[in-house]
Amino acid sequence: MKNFFLSLVSILLIFSFLPQGAFADSSSSTNYDDIEFPQWVKDLRRTEIITFGSLPFVTLWTILGYSLYQYGEFRNPLDKSTDSFTEEDQWNIIKISAATCLALGLTDLTINLVTRARKESILRKQRENQPFTITPLSQIPPKRLEDETDEEAAERLKREEQMNSQPKPEHFIEGVESAVF
């Protein structure tokens, strides 16, 4: 009876998770790369991911290092048959792991901020070093064709400006009337 119940539950679990991918609507998913978040939010999220994501690995290495340092041997924290660590040892391991993870996250944040500031500083210096001149539009001579005088070029520009100022009729391609450009 117990085996029947376990097999029934396992079959129900398998079939409850199996068809979810088949009926998912791919067009309704949100691509978070398209959403413009401020840079500080992206930096904070990256720091959070690194801090909490490194916690299991840092805790494992902290247990190894702490047991080797404190007792001279590796003590298995999952072994319930022996007293591997006292409660004080466990709190020390948690404190060391949390501090190390926080230090990793803040170090990554600092490196990213310094790197971004250096890049922006280099770009700013490059922009400052590039000379530029501002010429009023009245002083710019009109572009001339090969066999054209300055007066003819000025008249041609006036005609082009008049043609550009008139509204142009809209032409739609069939089936694209509702497209957003």
Side-chain angles (χ1 to χ4, degrees):
M1 183 69 178
K2 191 174 186 180
N3 287 337
F4 175 74
F5 180 71
L6 287 175
S7 60
L8 182 66
V9 168
S10 61
I11 289 173
L12 286 174
L13 285 175
I14 288 172
F15 283 113
S16 66
F17 292 116
L18 186 64
Q20 286 183 356
F23 299 113
D25 185 17
S26 62
S27 64
S28 67
S29 65
T30 303
N31 189 358
Y32 288 104
D33 292 337
D34 297 339
I35 300 172
E36 289 295 324
F37 289 110
Q39 188 61 43
W40 68 270
V41 173
K42 293 177 184 178
D43 291 340
L44 184 66
R45 179 66 177 149
R46 178 183 168 99
T47 302
E48 176 189 1
I49 289 170
I50 289 174
T51 301
F52 290 118
S54 64
L55 188 62
F57 305 105
V58 169
T59 304
L60 178 67
W61 286 105
T62 303
I63 290 170
L64 177 65
Y66 189 84
S67 64
L68 288 175
Y69 176 76
Q70 194 73 9
Y71 299 108
E73 64 183 7
F74 176 69
R75 293 195 170 187
N76 187 358
L78 302 176
D79 188 11
K80 298 294 181 186
S81 63
T82 62
D83 291 333
S84 58
F85 292 110
T86 63
E87 189 173 334
E88 183 181 339
D89 289 340
Q90 291 173 3
W91 278 111
N92 287 338
I93 289 170
I94 290 172
K95 289 175 190 176
I96 292 169
S97 295
T100 305
C101 290
L102 187 60
L104 283 172
L106 292 177
T107 301
D108 180 71
L109 176 66
T110 305
I111 290 170
N112 283 334
L113 291 176
V114 168
T115 305
R116 189 177 308 116
R118 283 189 68 208
K119 286 180 183 177
E120 289 174 0
S121 170
I122 290 170
L123 287 174
R124 195 177 320 111
K125 286 179 183 177
Q126 287 176 351
R127 277 188 247 130
E128 290 173 358
N129 293 336
Q130 292 179 352
F132 61 93
T133 57
I134 299 175
T135 307
L137 287 175
S138 61
Q139 294 180 0
I140 297 176
K143 292 182 182 178
R144 295 188 319 169
L145 300 176
E146 291 179 11
D147 297 332
E148 193 174 46
T149 63
D150 288 339
E151 294 83 24
E152 292 172 342
E155 289 178 23
R156 183 178 47 79
L157 285 176
K158 286 181 184 177
R159 283 193 308 269
E160 288 176 1
E161 287 176 5
Q162 288 175 353
M163 289 176 63
N164 290 338
S165 65
Q166 296 174 355
K168 296 180 180 179
E170 295 183 10
H171 299 284
F172 290 107
I173 299 172
E174 187 174 324
V176 189
E177 290 87 9
S178 63
V180 177
F181 294 102

